[in-house]
Amino acid sequence: MIIPFFTPKFSPFLYYYKRENNRTFLFISGLKAAPILQAFSIYNVLALFRGLAGIIVYHKKNIIPVAFLLFFAGCSQKPNGDEFLISGHLDNAANQEMVILQEISPDGVVAVDTSTVDEKGEFNFLRKMPYQSLYVVQLGSGEYITLLPDYKEQININGDSKSFSGTYTIEGSPGSGQLWQLNKKNLEGISVVASLARTWEKAKAENADLGKVKDSLDQIFNKTLADQRQYILDFIGKNPGSLATLVCIYKNFSNRELLSPYEDLPVYEKVAENLEKNLPNNPHTIKFAEHVKRMKDQITQNMANKAKNP
């Protein structure tokens, strides 16, 4: 039996289901185009057309709202062994706002998928991951967060689109939780620096002793900078072999690097050593280990040259 139906919201198309060989197929016909485009198994269609409402399916003499079936299919969606799933909810997001998923690959940042925020503020990504890597979820406004997914993870993100990095929470991904902790610590330091800037501007407006004020503010800033650095070092020690430690290596604070490749080479070497133990074949590990070796060779060469020409 063929059951035709028409949804005004999607008026360019006519959809209907048909039973063939004891299987239910969805046929999609473009009213303004050529004939029937393609026939899909209903199970694939449910994943493809989640969110369609008002569609009616006739199956074994029962009329079932497809919206219910689609909702059920969406809830049961799970990543396969080499995938991860991101389900996000944003407050104050514009309907149809674009969300971009980017991979921080060993060779640079690459956009790998896009999604849009629906009327409920929700978006999602299902991504196949050939190897564990770092990812960025970026909003159309430029706000972004960094993730460290693992295989088969179902990651739930909640936040405010107006201050995504400052408000987001995350569940279902321990590695991404590590990056959330790093972000939280960084924001605490940024708050202190912003407070120092306000104090300085107020001191200038009040014609205060700027020399004395500067000394006081410098002490607070240097203490904050040292605290950020120590947090990074402690984090690396507590999370050996995690790709999150690569984020620590390149972390800056207030335009200052927290770890120097020359002064902190042993830290770089330790991070590379732990990654080689935990993720020996990961492209990030291989690339970073090669980078550390080149740095070490360059430092050794510089020291030799300096010894020859004191």
Side-chain angles (χ1 to χ4, degrees):
M1 177 178 292
I2 298 177
I3 307 294
F5 51 88
F6 188 79
T7 54
K9 185 177 180 181
F10 298 91
S11 56
F13 299 98
L14 175 67
Y15 305 85
Y16 61 87
Y17 283 100
K18 182 180 179 182
R19 293 285 295 174
E20 289 186 357
N21 299 324
N22 295 320
R23 296 181 67 189
T24 303
F25 288 88
L26 173 68
F27 288 76
I28 307 175
S29 176
L31 297 180
K32 294 183 181 180
I36 292 172
L37 299 178
Q38 190 173 359
F40 299 89
S41 165
I42 188 172
Y43 304 107
N44 293 330
V45 170
L46 290 179
L48 183 62
F49 287 93
R50 278 201 314 270
L52 288 179
I55 304 175
I56 303 300
V57 178
Y58 183 85
H59 181 56
K60 293 184 179 179
K61 299 182 180 180
N62 290 314
I63 297 177
I64 308 171
V66 168
F68 172 78
L69 292 177
L70 298 179
F71 172 79
F72 180 80
C75 290
S76 63
Q77 185 181 23
K78 292 183 179 181
N80 292 324
D82 58 352
E83 297 175 328
F84 64 87
L85 174 68
I86 296 175
S87 300
H89 177 82
L90 295 172
D91 294 326
N92 299 311
N95 189 19
Q96 300 302 309
E97 178 177 353
M98 180 175 287
V99 184
I100 304 172
L101 181 65
Q102 301 171 313
E103 181 191 351
I104 305 177
S105 75
D107 298 316
V109 180
V110 182
V112 295
D113 201 356
T114 61
S115 182
T116 54
V117 180
D118 65 17
E119 64 276 5
K120 296 181 180 179
E122 297 176 351
F123 67 91
N124 61 74
F125 294 102
L126 180 62
R127 175 68 181 169
K128 185 174 182 178
M129 188 166 55
Y131 57 88
Q132 191 177 26
S133 189
L134 295 155
Y135 288 83
V136 171
V137 175
Q138 181 174 326
L139 307 185
S141 62
E143 286 272 343
Y144 71 92
I145 62 172
T146 307
L147 306 179
L148 177 54
D150 206 345
Y151 298 110
K152 299 181 70 174
E153 285 187 342
Q154 300 181 63
I155 306 171
N156 295 309
I157 301 171
N158 289 277
D160 192 314
S161 65
K162 294 183 178 179
S163 179
F164 192 27
S165 64
T167 61
Y168 86 98
T169 59
I170 194 157
E171 297 178 345
S173 177
S176 300
Q178 293 173 351
L179 296 182
W180 180 87
Q181 293 173 354
L182 286 174
N183 181 67
K184 181 182 178 183
K185 184 63 178 181
N186 185 64
L187 291 176
E188 290 175 358
I190 290 174
S191 178
V192 172
V193 173
S195 176
L196 296 179
R198 291 192 296 269
T199 300
W200 176 251
E201 293 300 322
K202 181 180 179 181
K204 290 195 297 182
E206 295 176 350
N207 295 319
D209 185 342
L210 296 183
K212 185 176 181 180
V213 172
K214 183 178 182 303
D215 290 342
S216 175
L217 297 182
D218 283 347
Q219 289 181 9
I220 297 174
F221 175 82
N222 290 333
K223 181 179 178 180
T224 303
L225 183 64
D227 179 58
Q228 291 285 323
R229 171 182 162 82
Q230 189 58 52
Y231 185 87
I232 290 295
L233 292 172
D234 292 343
F235 184 96
I236 291 173
K238 293 176 182 178
N239 300 282
S242 169
L243 288 178
T245 56
L246 289 181
V247 177
C248 295
I249 286 291
Y250 299 111
K251 197 78 172 172
N252 288 336
F253 178 74
S254 192
N255 297 320
R256 291 168 172 80
E257 60 182 14
L258 293 175
L259 297 176
S260 165
Y262 295 98
E263 298 176 5
D264 299 299
L265 181 61
V267 178
Y268 279 67
E269 291 179 310
K270 192 64 177 178
V271 168
E273 177 186 339
N274 288 329
L275 286 172
E276 287 178 317
K277 289 179 181 178
N278 191 44
L279 300 167
N281 299 317
N282 188 287
H284 286 284
T285 299
I286 297 170
K287 188 89 171 183
F288 183 69
E290 292 173 350
H291 174 62
V292 172
K293 184 179 184 304
R294 287 194 300 270
M295 284 197 310
K296 185 175 182 179
D297 291 344
Q298 184 62 53
I299 292 173
T300 302
Q301 185 62 47
N302 291 343
M303 293 178 62
N305 292 339
K306 188 175 181 180
K308 290 181 181 179
N309 302 289

